[in-house]
Amino acid sequence: EVISFLEADYEGVRLPHDDPVVVTLMVELFTMKRILIDSGSSTDILYKHAFDQLKILTDQLKLVKTPLVGFAGEMVHPLGSIDLFVVAGTAPCQTQVQMT
């Protein structure tokens, strides 16, 4: 789904810019603030603290055998993966997608 911005959204932003984009989304009926949009990332990461606050049981996770590798070469082994419904926008300009 395409997310676009209006001229009013650029108020106070000096163009061109390479600042990170941070949004608020509804995930599984919980409002999550300060979500970093990284257009160069190949994965969507939910940190354990946020996962715990969503009150999702760990037995709902699907096994992931492949570690994630960071920019410095460090490897992190994920607890697993899960499909969650995410709502972006407000009616009537709203979309709901399922993300892993």
Side-chain angles (χ1 to χ4, degrees):
E1 298 290 330
V2 174
I3 296 175
S4 59
F5 298 93
L6 304 172
E7 284 294 323
D9 296 318
Y10 288 104
E11 186 176 323
V13 176
R14 285 200 256 168
L15 298 174
H17 76 89
D18 60 356
D19 301 332
V21 176
V22 179
V23 298
T24 298
L25 296 174
M26 175 133 348
V27 178
E28 292 292 316
L29 302 178
F30 290 91
T31 301
M32 296 184 76
K33 298 180 180 180
R34 298 186 307 262
I35 298 173
L36 173 65
I37 303 296
D38 178 2
S39 60
S41 180
S42 61
T43 187
D44 299 311
I45 298 172
L46 181 65
Y47 289 97
K48 178 129 178 23
H49 178 72
F51 183 83
D52 291 342
Q53 289 184 327
L54 288 171
K55 296 183 178 13
I56 298 172
L57 302 175
T58 54
D59 63 358
Q60 293 179 264
L61 292 173
K62 293 180 255 177
L63 180 64
V64 174
K65 295 181 181 180
T66 309
L68 300 174
V69 180
F71 293 112
E74 72 280 8
M75 291 181 21
V76 176
H77 295 276
L79 296 174
S81 72
I82 191 167
D83 294 326
L84 298 174
F85 282 101
V86 176
V87 177
T90 55
C93 299
Q94 186 177 60
T95 187
Q96 179 175 328
V97 295
Q98 187 175 26
M99 299 181 71
T100 301

